[in-house]
Amino acid sequence: MKTEAWKSQFCRFMSYFAVLSALVVAIASAPIQAAPVLGPKKVMVLRVYFQDYAATSRYTQVQVQGFFSNLDTLWQNTSYTKININSVVTTLFQLPDNRSLYVDDFASGDLSNGGKFSKVLSDAIANSPGGLDWTNVDAVMVVMAETNAAQFHRGQATKCNLPMGPGAATKFVGCAIFSENPTENDRQVWGRWAHEMGHAFQAGGPAHPSNYNSEFELMDSNLPGQTGVFEKQDHVGFPGWMPMTKYQVITPVSGGATAAIWAMEYNPVLLPNAQAVKVELTPNFYYLVSVRRRVLGDDLNGDFSPFGIPDEGVLIERVSEGSDPWVTVIGAGGSNGSCLSPACNRNALWKLGQAYNGGSDGVFISIAKKVDDDNYFIRVAFENQAMRPDVMLNPWTSPPGNTWETTDIWVDSPVNGYGTYRYGSWADGSGGTVPVGNGDDPAVGQVNRLYARVRNIGLTPATDVVVNWDITDPPGVGIAGATGWLPIGTVDKISFPGLANIPAGGTVDVYVDWTPNFPLTSAQLAAGVFAFHTCLRVKLNHVAGETVFGNQDGDREQENIGYFQATSPGEGGAPYEHFIRLHNSDLVNKKSYYLSYKSDLPNSWKVDLNKGQQGLDLAPGEIRDIPITIVPGSNPGIGTVFGVDVEASSLRLLVSDLDPKDVHPEYKPQGGVRVESRVMAPTKLNCRAKRDPATGLLNVAGSFSNTPDIAKILERYYSPNAPWRVMIEGATAEGKFLDSTKQIVTVQPDGSFKGALREAGAQVQRVVCLFAGTTELASAGSGFIVPDDKDSDGDGIVNSGDNCTLVSKPDQRDTDVDGYGNVCDPDLNNDGVVNFGDLAIMKSVFFSKNANADLNGDGAVNFGDLAIMKTMFFKPPGPSGVAALP
């Protein structure tokens, strides 16, 4: 029986694929701790007008170049000369379509929704003038000519995969589109451009820290002006600008302290003074205190009189990382973590003699002394009652993985024995170690353990902790929760006594059992496809005395990583073709999404995400399968690791709480998927079982002898100190695993193994042998083996596990994973018979390296393969014991 239906289903599950050649696995990553934003930044500025517009613009090429000179000055000031902007401004040129195909009109300001945003960018690049130097471009910005005062585009920006010139290769760069907006003055226009340029270079954290509700932050609504001390931390927007030594950190352990701080607008190298106070309640919940002046860019904002930021004095910002928003501006008169009118105005900064009472946050900040306009003394005090617990898991996009997985969730598969992890271990960032990535691949039909490392980063013990696990429903790797979440287990202090009391700074590792039940055929097992990937999250119930909840709600405490095994060294090989589910969880409103990816794959590899369509609209509640194809090129060697990080951002409108008409678009990341790619040596194992009539036990023996170059592989990768391990297990005639029979056996130095099933009653009608793989070796399986079976073709593989029972072929090469070995499978269209349709396919790929049509495995499609097809014309493929079994 062919398995096309299975392949269609499993491409949704990011399942593990093993082939006859070396294994490759691929990934994607969006690190939270990015590299410093430093040095010259080259910006390609494309000036365009629409097909239904005249070739006129509000500004000339010289004027636009002048505005970008202003931007360079601003960004040099706010970065303390750490970056400078080198802009290439084009002449005005035409886009191929009318304005309506690029812009949506709204009363509150125009936007480019769905695919229109990417269409502006792609069409502008495709039609850009010749002779432009696209080398080393860091950002592409499109200025849409506009002379109609009735039109106003709000500007949009994110990171994009764009070609570096018409028809050129793509690069992951900053990208922005904006208009000349005739209703605004010149400063407002280029101030908006300065803001969008910031999105092109932001390294991490939220796009708009306060959701556009701060007039003291360029990445909110201080247009134009400086970016503040929140964005200049090393783990958010612009690392490398403000040295972390300039942040005086005060924690509750100290009880409080007094700090002298100097205005943050000045270059830190001029004085050794601190320029910010970080009142750290927990690592991701803290207050930032800074002094703000109308100088060096903060004197430009034209929305206030005098120009510049709305006030001078002491700025207090409350930061809860991962919340929405991350930053809340606490204006003078604010208290208890909020700024509510009329008592509090977020545009009014704190003055000498004023004091902030954080209420339940347990922090007091007073303005103790004003030395001069640039220098203040700040006093911070804590109340002892504020010493609270805080349970959490490390979120995704945190070290050491820096991608769409948390280090604190992992899988322990029984295939290599509990406590042994295929991908090894690494530091967890807190002095401990955790398994790398998923740890193991979760095995279908097996009792896997899903682990969580629960942390208490608070300052008092956390009592009676409850831990909950969910998977996406339906299962599969996706973004924004597929169609929802399905609970799969909960644990508490009864099953894990350590949860009764986690001390301050302590951790507890807990797990639930999970058996993913999806039907497996013998062909899948024989190909090593017995792993299953889906999105997994962990949520922690609130504990007594806790006040910070954003680090335990499952929103970022997720494991979202998939793997694939694809190709042999140097051959290119089969592409990775799967889907990532994107879900609009809003059941009322349509959402616009933007897709992007980062990749460190070799240049010879190709990535196609959603067939190049980066922008899309999803209806309320809609789920869409986003296709991703990775075409491997040459492989640099076994053990190397690559990655592709896919991210989806949704477009939402942020509204200023002081001016409902001040609306700004934001591409807010909804999440992402990491697809990890490792080059591994292929493995093939075979096993046979014989029933002992006297005891009824099943004695199982097998080896890796049919693995290509097995002698070299054993010499290079086998260690007696860490021998390979194989799981042997019984199954029913229908292929249901019998967990009570399971046994882990050790592989000997010659590649052989043996064992006896623990409980081999009459219900055991099949036997399976599974190898989980290692960091260098691909996974492998035997398929379902019939006890006491014979080997008709003498290739060392019994008929029930042989994908060509009448042709001796120890390597069992089956490139389309349908259960029929290539040497007896000229059925290239998988319709069950070899005929003229298959001949046409072979003709179309003749003299190529097409893997499926290369029947004899000599690396090319030629007359030897045609001869095999001729002998089987008008016959079914096979025969195959693997395809015949469930």
Side-chain angles (χ1 to χ4, degrees):
M1 183 182 72
K2 290 282 183 176
T3 58
E4 283 303 301
W6 167 82
K7 287 193 288 185
S8 174
Q9 176 191 21
F10 261 64
C11 75
R12 297 171 179 262
F13 298 154
M14 306 291 267
S15 300
Y16 220 108
F17 280 86
V19 293
L20 299 165
S21 18
L23 156 77
V24 182
V25 187
I27 0 191
S29 165
I32 196 170
Q33 187 110 16
V37 181
L38 305 173
K41 302 297 179 185
K42 183 175 179 179
V43 180
M44 184 64 70
V45 183
L46 306 177
R47 299 175 57 240
V48 304
Y49 67 98
F50 305 114
Q51 196 274 337
D52 55 343
Y53 272 39
T56 59
S57 63
R58 178 182 179 185
Y59 299 118
T60 67
Q61 183 179 13
V62 172
Q63 287 175 310
V64 173
Q65 189 71 66
F67 288 162
F68 274 85
S69 296
N70 294 340
L71 292 174
D72 179 35
T73 300
L74 175 64
W75 280 99
Q76 287 200 50
N77 283 336
T78 195
S79 70
Y80 313 121
T81 68
K82 295 298 179 65
I83 70 168
N84 65 278
I85 308 301
N86 298 320
S87 54
V88 178
V89 179
T90 71
T91 56
L92 189 68
F93 63 92
Q94 188 182 63
L95 294 179
D97 290 313
N98 292 347
R99 182 180 184 276
S100 61
L101 294 180
Y102 298 104
V103 180
D104 297 305
D105 291 321
F106 298 97
S108 60
D110 303 336
L111 294 170
S112 297
N113 287 308
K116 293 184 178 181
F117 172 72
S118 57
K119 180 175 172 61
V120 172
L121 289 157
S122 60
D123 282 5
I125 293 171
N127 293 276
S128 60
L132 297 175
D133 180 7
W134 287 87
T135 58
N136 300 317
V137 167
D138 298 292
V140 177
M141 300 188 173
V142 179
V143 181
M144 296 175 286
E146 190 63 81
T147 58
N148 183 351
Q151 305 294 354
F152 173 78
H153 196 285
R154 295 201 165 275
Q156 293 167 246
T158 184
K159 301 288 180 66
C160 304
N161 302 99
L162 296 176
M164 293 294 96
T170 60
K171 183 180 178 183
F172 187 66
V173 295
C175 53
I177 66 172
F178 32 73
S179 170
E180 296 176 331
N181 288 348
T183 58
E184 294 184 307
N185 62 46
D186 291 350
R187 183 176 295 183
Q188 290 172 322
V189 169
W190 73 258
R192 188 177 297 276
W193 297 1
H195 172 93
E196 304 301 348
M197 180 173 286
H199 291 315
F201 298 129
Q202 275 176 314
H208 302 89
S210 72
N211 283 0
Y212 206 59
N213 285 308
S214 174
E215 301 292 349
F216 301 94
E217 172 54 61
L218 174 59
M219 300 319 302
D220 282 305
S221 53
N222 183 23
L223 315 179
Q226 282 232 16
T227 186
V229 296
F230 169 79
E231 281 285 271
K232 291 172 180 174
Q233 295 179 94
D234 276 353
H235 68 293
V236 282
F238 304 107
W241 293 3
M242 178 77 80
M244 295 313 294
T245 55
K246 288 286 188 166
Y247 292 77
Q248 181 172 335
V249 180
I250 304 174
T251 64
V253 175
S254 67
T258 298
I261 52 175
W262 176 45
M264 58 75 58
E265 286 86 358
Y266 298 109
N267 194 320
V269 303
L270 299 178
L271 289 175
N273 305 42
Q275 289 177 275
V277 171
K278 186 174 185 179
V279 184
E280 188 174 273
L281 299 168
T282 73
N284 63 352
F285 176 45
Y286 51 89
Y287 282 80
L288 288 172
V289 186
S290 58
V291 175
R292 299 302 295 264
R293 294 293 319 281
R294 293 190 184 103
V295 296
L296 296 170
D298 270 341
D299 54 346
L300 296 175
N301 194 326
D303 291 337
F304 301 96
S305 182
F307 287 163
I309 54 177
D311 197 6
E312 295 185 306
V314 176
L315 172 65
I316 298 177
E317 297 172 291
R318 183 181 188 267
V319 182
S320 177
E321 294 188 4
S323 298
D324 190 18
W326 283 38
V327 175
T328 300
V329 175
I330 309 294
S335 62
N336 199 26
S338 65
C339 180
L340 301 177
S341 61
C344 175
N345 175 5
R346 64 169 168 82
N347 285 349
L349 297 185
W350 296 79
K351 313 296 183 182
L352 175 65
Q354 293 181 318
Y356 166 72
N357 183 344
S360 59
D361 290 344
V363 61
F364 298 85
I365 302 171
S366 58
I367 316 305
K369 183 179 181 179
K370 178 182 178 181
V371 179
D372 54 36
D373 288 344
D374 294 331
N375 295 275
Y376 285 77
F377 279 88
I378 308 299
R379 182 178 180 273
V380 176
F382 299 89
E383 57 176 346
N384 291 334
Q385 291 84 348
M387 309 281 278
R388 300 179 183 276
D390 184 7
V391 293
M392 56 91 72
L393 278 75
N394 283 335
W396 60 18
T397 65
S398 59
N402 296 325
T403 186
W404 299 105
E405 55 167 339
T406 168
T407 59
D408 287 348
I409 301 175
W410 65 90
V411 179
D412 191 0
S413 165
V415 175
N416 52 2
Y418 294 131
T420 300
Y421 297 104
R422 174 176 188 180
Y423 299 110
S425 298
W426 56 13
D428 70 348
S430 304
T433 60
V434 289
V436 173
N438 285 349
D440 281 329
D441 297 310
V444 175
Q446 305 292 334
V447 182
N448 303 274
R449 292 177 177 176
L450 302 182
Y451 271 91
R453 176 161 293 177
V454 182
R455 303 173 182 272
N456 177 15
I457 61 172
L459 298 172
T460 58
T463 59
D464 298 333
V465 180
V466 178
V467 188
N468 310 280
W469 283 259
D470 300 331
I471 61 169
T472 46
D473 181 26
V477 172
I479 299 172
T483 57
W485 294 94
L486 180 68
I488 57 173
T490 295
V491 300
D492 56 20
K493 64 183 179 182
I494 296 175
S495 47
F496 289 92
L499 295 176
N501 188 298
I502 305 178
T507 65
V508 175
D509 292 349
V510 297
Y511 68 85
V512 292
D513 290 335
W514 176 50
T515 305
N517 286 314
F518 299 94
L520 285 173
T521 69
S522 193
Q524 296 156 27
L525 290 174
V529 184
F530 51 83
F532 171 83
H533 291 281
T534 188
C535 300
L536 170 69
R537 75 177 181 184
V538 172
K539 300 176 69 175
L540 308 178
N541 290 5
H542 301 168
V543 300
E546 188 178 23
T547 59
V548 179
F549 306 127
N551 52 13
Q552 64 189 68
D553 58 6
D555 183 42
R556 297 190 300 156
E557 295 73 38
Q558 295 186 27
E559 191 79 1
N560 204 9
I561 181 170
Y563 302 90
F564 78 91
Q565 302 182 139
T567 152
S568 61
E571 285 188 3
Y576 170 81
E577 297 178 306
H578 288 293
F579 294 89
I580 297 170
R581 283 194 177 125
L582 179 62
H583 177 216
N584 177 10
S585 56
D586 192 325
L587 301 181
V588 177
N589 301 303
K590 179 183 77 172
K591 276 190 178 181
S592 292
Y593 289 87
Y594 191 79
L595 304 172
S596 62
Y597 66 88
K598 290 183 180 179
S599 167
D600 63 357
L601 295 173
N603 291 334
S604 61
W605 292 44
K606 306 297 181 185
V607 179
D608 181 358
L609 178 63
N610 200 34
K611 302 188 184 302
Q613 299 298 312
Q614 294 175 288
L616 62 160
D617 291 322
L618 265 65
E622 181 183 354
I623 306 152
R624 190 173 300 179
D625 285 343
I626 306 300
I628 178 172
T629 300
I630 302 173
V631 181
S634 61
N635 296 327
I638 291 169
T640 51
V641 181
F642 306 115
V644 178
D645 281 330
V646 179
E647 178 180 283
S649 300
S650 66
L651 184 65
R652 65 174 183 172
L653 295 180
L654 305 176
V655 183
S656 170
D657 60 3
L658 298 181
D659 182 4
K661 296 181 180 179
D662 190 4
V663 181
H664 187 76
E666 174 189 74
Y667 281 104
K668 180 178 175 60
Q670 296 296 294
V673 171
R674 181 177 179 89
V675 185
E676 190 163 273
S677 177
R678 302 168 182 263
V679 179
M680 299 180 181
T683 59
K684 293 292 178 181
L685 63 79
N686 61 79
C687 69
R688 61 183 65 212
K690 290 190 176 295
R691 197 179 300 273
D692 186 333
T695 64
L697 291 177
L698 277 173
N699 295 312
V700 180
S703 75
F704 287 81
S705 60
N706 55 338
T707 296
D709 297 320
I710 183 60
K712 291 181 180 179
I713 288 175
L714 286 166
E715 180 181 1
R716 183 171 299 177
Y717 301 116
Y718 182 91
S719 169
N721 297 324
W724 308 346
R725 308 172 87 186
V726 170
M727 186 181 79
I728 59 176
E729 188 171 15
T732 66
E734 295 75 28
K736 179 182 179 182
F737 294 119
L738 301 171
D739 188 63
S740 62
T741 67
K742 180 171 56 190
Q743 183 180 148
I744 304 295
V745 298
T746 299
V747 177
Q748 300 304 307
D750 64 354
S752 65
F753 56 88
K754 62 181 179 180
L757 295 187
R758 294 172 181 171
E759 300 175 17
Q763 60 179 336
V764 177
Q765 300 299 313
R766 302 283 187 268
V767 172
V768 67
C769 300
L770 299 177
F771 175 56
T774 69
T775 54
E776 295 89 12
L777 303 176
S779 57
S782 65
F784 292 114
I785 302 300
V786 176
D788 303 313
D789 199 6
K790 62 182 179 179
D791 175 13
S792 296
D793 56 12
D795 58 5
I797 303 165
V798 296
N799 289 353
S800 53
D802 194 338
N803 60 26
C804 284
T805 58
L806 301 182
V807 182
S808 178
K809 199 66 174 174
D811 68 7
Q812 295 287 284
R813 184 168 173 269
D814 176 14
T815 56
D816 61 359
V817 198
D818 63 355
Y820 297 90
N822 281 38
V823 73
C824 60
D825 187 16
D827 179 17
L828 303 182
N829 60 10
N830 291 328
D831 64 357
V833 64
V834 182
N835 53 29
F836 289 103
D838 307 298
L839 181 61
I841 294 174
M842 178 168 285
K843 180 180 178 181
S844 70
V845 296
F846 216 66
F847 294 129
S848 77
K849 293 184 178 181
N850 182 278
N852 292 345
D854 178 15
L855 305 180
N856 59 13
D858 64 358
V861 183
N862 50 36
F863 290 102
D865 307 300
L866 185 61
I868 294 174
M869 176 174 282
K870 181 179 179 181
T871 65
M872 298 190 65
F873 222 66
F874 298 127
K875 297 178 183 179
S880 166
V882 171
L885 291 174

